[in-house]
Amino acid sequence: MAEHDLTARLAPHLDRHLVFPLLEFLQERGLYPEEEIVAAKLRLLGGTNMVDYAMAMHRSLHGTDEAPADMVARRAEVVDRLVALQTGPALPLYAFLRDPHLVQLLRPDKQYNVHMLQEGFQIGPDQIEALYDDAKFQFECGSYSDAAAYLYQYRVLSTNSERSVRALWGMLASEILNRNWDAALEELNRLKEIIDSKNFSSPLNQLQSRIWLMHWSLFIFFNHENGRNGIIDLFFQDRYLNAIQTNAHHLLRYLAVAVVVNKRRRNMLKELTKVIQQEQHSYKDPITEFLECLYVNYDFDGAQQKLMECDQVISNDPFLGKRIAVGNSITVPLRDEFFENARLFIFETVCRIHRCIDISVLAEKLNMRYSEAELWIMNLVKSLKLDAKIDSVSGTLIMRVNRVDVHEEIIESLKNLSTRTHMLAQSIVEPAQAAQQAAQGD
């Protein structure tokens, strides 16, 4: 079941806190043994301040009521730091920021704010930088709402450009973990603008930043109401598509699904298929192979087989396999949309090649029962206003072909040729006439 799981490829490009939702999904789906997931969580927690959670995981993994001495000591350190925050160097700044009348004194000019805080309230750069450290500490404790608030205030006040960018990454992670998708999308767009305009020390660093941004964006694009357009707009930009083809080939899965389920972006299907074909030796899964079988090889049997395999791939993917309850059943909306559109792709491709189609054969290729396929095709012919009819006696779909008269084609071609010739003549004659009139005027 875990054959096509991408967690191991995704995790290196994510903050450790963003990996937890992926592990939770895998644990829920039972793709790996329970002890392996718990052990992975425990390794991730080792780099955070969520010590109580780590101790609970350790007890669950080892079946004991005792926590290791190093965890107990680590917990004491975290508690001491939390207490110290109440009297830390940033305390005067917190008092200032909690007063709405004082906050109104701030201006968009950061240099003015620094000078005003220093002169009027004895709040210097050290206190502002302490705000960043406190925000990072809160983030590592799992207090993502507090971290987002602190980082926002830090970015308003800080003149440290490097730390401001890191703070923006922290805000993005915090909003994702808070499931605040509108705010997360805003932070994503701000980061993209910085990455695309900033002068990096090396092209490799800029490439890595783009790859990180695309990985983090998956949380947003598969939860935000306009995410399917967003992922297509971002991933198909030349610089980001080059990054995918350089060191993130597995992201083609998510781009492919977004294009397939987005009926308004069918125009990107040709470009997507081209990229999939180019990268087939670097990455492939049933989703990309389905499109390759259908649009490159015209292998309908292969496409049918790969479509069947797509069910498990989508259902077991943390970003694609989101479940919702409908009545007494559980469904995966994205999987259902993918299959509906994939069947439409197969139908359209078969109709372009054949004039008379056996419905039983088409039903087999669509993984549907004959009665379901017949009804589905009938509704499709009506909705798309296809020039076709179903012969119930022979069980076939007959596509009518409107052949254009050869003479009409020739006449239309000559009209176009005449128009282009006239335009070409004008572009030559008019400048010559203008030059002649100018010479006569002199």
Side-chain angles (χ1 to χ4, degrees):
M1 291 178 67
E3 179 185 358
H4 299 292
D5 176 38
L6 293 180
T7 304
R9 292 196 185 193
L10 298 169
H13 305 289
L14 299 172
D15 182 273
R16 65 175 62 239
H17 291 258
L18 294 176
V19 180
F20 282 110
L22 307 189
L23 295 180
E24 292 287 350
F25 178 89
L26 297 178
Q27 187 174 19
E28 179 187 328
R29 292 290 295 151
L31 294 184
Y32 297 94
E34 181 77 10
E35 56 273 14
E36 287 187 20
I37 298 293
V38 175
K41 287 182 177 180
L42 198 55
R43 288 193 298 271
L44 285 175
L45 289 168
T48 73
N49 295 331
M50 296 188 287
V51 188
D52 286 339
Y53 188 24
M55 293 169 72
M57 287 290 103
H58 182 273
R59 295 188 188 102
S60 172
L61 181 62
H62 297 284
T64 178
D65 294 332
E66 298 295 327
D70 60 334
M71 285 189 179
V72 175
R74 174 67 176 153
R75 186 181 188 281
E77 291 178 12
V78 172
V79 171
D80 290 343
R81 176 67 189 277
L82 281 171
V83 173
L85 285 180
Q86 308 303 319
T87 57
L91 194 60
L93 181 56
Y94 292 145
F96 176 92
L97 293 171
R98 280 195 293 267
D99 190 326
H101 299 292
L102 294 179
V103 170
Q104 290 180 359
L105 299 175
L106 297 174
R107 297 181 183 178
D109 186 347
K110 291 186 177 183
Q111 293 294 343
Y112 168 84
N113 292 335
V114 170
H115 181 73
M116 182 268 293
L117 290 172
Q118 181 78 59
E119 294 296 322
F121 301 91
Q122 289 74 53
I123 298 174
D126 290 342
Q127 283 91 342
I128 294 175
E129 294 306 314
L131 182 60
Y132 174 90
D133 296 330
D134 291 351
K136 192 174 189 304
F137 180 81
Q138 292 286 357
F139 181 83
E140 294 300 343
C141 288
S143 301
Y144 304 121
S145 296
D146 291 340
Y150 288 175
L151 289 170
Y152 172 79
Q153 292 162 350
Y154 174 79
R155 292 193 71 245
V156 170
L157 300 172
S158 176
T159 56
N160 186 327
S161 58
E162 288 298 324
R163 268 200 162 188
S164 292
V165 173
R166 291 201 293 271
L168 192 53
W169 281 103
M171 289 176 65
L172 175 58
S174 298
E175 298 298 359
I176 288 173
L177 292 163
N178 286 329
R179 303 184 67 81
N180 189 351
W181 304 122
D182 288 333
L185 183 59
E186 291 178 9
E187 308 305 341
L188 180 79
N189 290 330
R190 289 193 186 99
L191 261 177
K192 178 184 179 298
E193 185 177 348
I194 292 172
I195 292 171
D196 291 343
S197 60
K198 182 182 175 185
N199 292 323
F200 283 78
S201 57
S202 73
L204 184 60
N205 291 337
Q206 190 173 37
L207 172 68
Q208 185 59 54
S209 295
R210 288 195 176 111
I211 291 175
W212 272 61
L213 189 74
M214 287 189 287
H215 280 81
W216 292 34
S217 74
L218 296 176
F219 291 93
I220 303 168
F221 290 143
F222 286 105
N223 285 284
H224 194 276
E225 60 183 1
N226 194 37
R228 297 174 188 179
N229 283 318
I231 189 172
I232 293 172
D233 292 337
L234 178 63
F235 284 23
F236 268 117
Q237 291 184 30
D238 289 342
R239 289 173 289 189
Y240 289 85
L241 189 58
N242 288 339
I244 291 174
Q245 293 180 278
T246 301
N247 199 33
H249 304 92
H250 52 277
L251 293 181
L252 287 174
R253 170 186 294 184
Y254 303 104
L255 182 57
V257 170
V259 172
V260 170
V261 301
N262 196 331
K263 295 180 179 179
R264 296 183 179 181
R265 305 301 292 273
R266 290 281 299 277
N267 59 310
M268 306 306 298
L269 194 57
K270 184 176 180 180
E271 178 67 18
L272 172 65
T273 306
K274 178 182 175 182
V275 175
I276 289 174
Q277 189 178 9
Q278 290 173 347
E279 304 302 326
Q280 61 179 318
H281 301 296
S282 300
Y283 176 79
K284 60 183 178 181
D285 64 25
I287 294 173
T288 62
E289 289 179 305
F290 165 74
L291 293 174
E292 187 177 3
C293 285
L294 189 59
Y295 290 113
V296 178
N297 304 325
Y298 295 98
D299 178 4
F300 297 110
D301 292 333
Q304 174 198 359
Q305 179 61 38
K306 293 304 174 182
L307 184 59
M308 294 172 63
E309 295 175 17
C310 287
D311 187 353
Q312 288 297 314
V313 174
I314 295 175
S315 298
N316 294 329
D317 188 285
F319 295 107
L320 308 177
K322 180 181 178 182
R323 286 159 172 70
I324 62 170
V326 179
N328 297 324
S329 61
I330 302 296
T331 185
V332 181
L334 200 62
R335 179 196 60 193
D336 298 340
E337 288 185 63
F338 181 88
F339 270 74
E340 177 67 21
N341 285 280
R343 286 168 176 160
L344 178 59
F345 290 175
I346 293 175
F347 177 76
E348 289 178 343
T349 307
V350 170
C351 289
R352 282 202 301 267
I353 297 174
H354 304 285
R355 287 188 58 191
C356 185
I357 304 162
D358 190 323
I359 294 177
S360 62
V361 174
L362 190 57
E364 182 183 354
K365 296 187 185 301
L366 297 174
N367 296 322
M368 301 172 74
R369 293 194 298 269
Y370 182 90
S371 57
E372 292 177 337
E374 185 176 29
L375 180 61
W376 184 80
I377 292 170
M378 183 173 63
N379 292 333
L380 201 62
V381 168
K382 289 180 180 178
S383 62
L384 297 180
K385 298 180 180 179
L386 299 176
D387 191 4
K389 71 173 183 177
I390 294 177
D391 188 336
S392 300
V393 178
S394 61
T396 57
L397 173 69
I398 301 172
M399 304 296 298
R400 298 189 183 94
V401 181
N402 295 323
R403 299 187 181 278
V404 180
D405 185 85
V406 176
H407 298 90
E408 292 182 2
E409 286 186 348
I410 295 174
I411 292 171
E412 191 63 31
S413 298
L414 289 175
K415 286 181 180 178
N416 294 335
L417 180 62
S418 175
T419 302
R420 291 198 299 271
T421 303
H422 177 71
M423 293 175 63
L424 180 62
Q426 278 189 318
S427 65
I428 296 173
V429 172
E430 288 180 357
Q433 290 176 341
Q436 185 178 9
Q437 290 174 358
Q440 291 175 351
D442 293 342

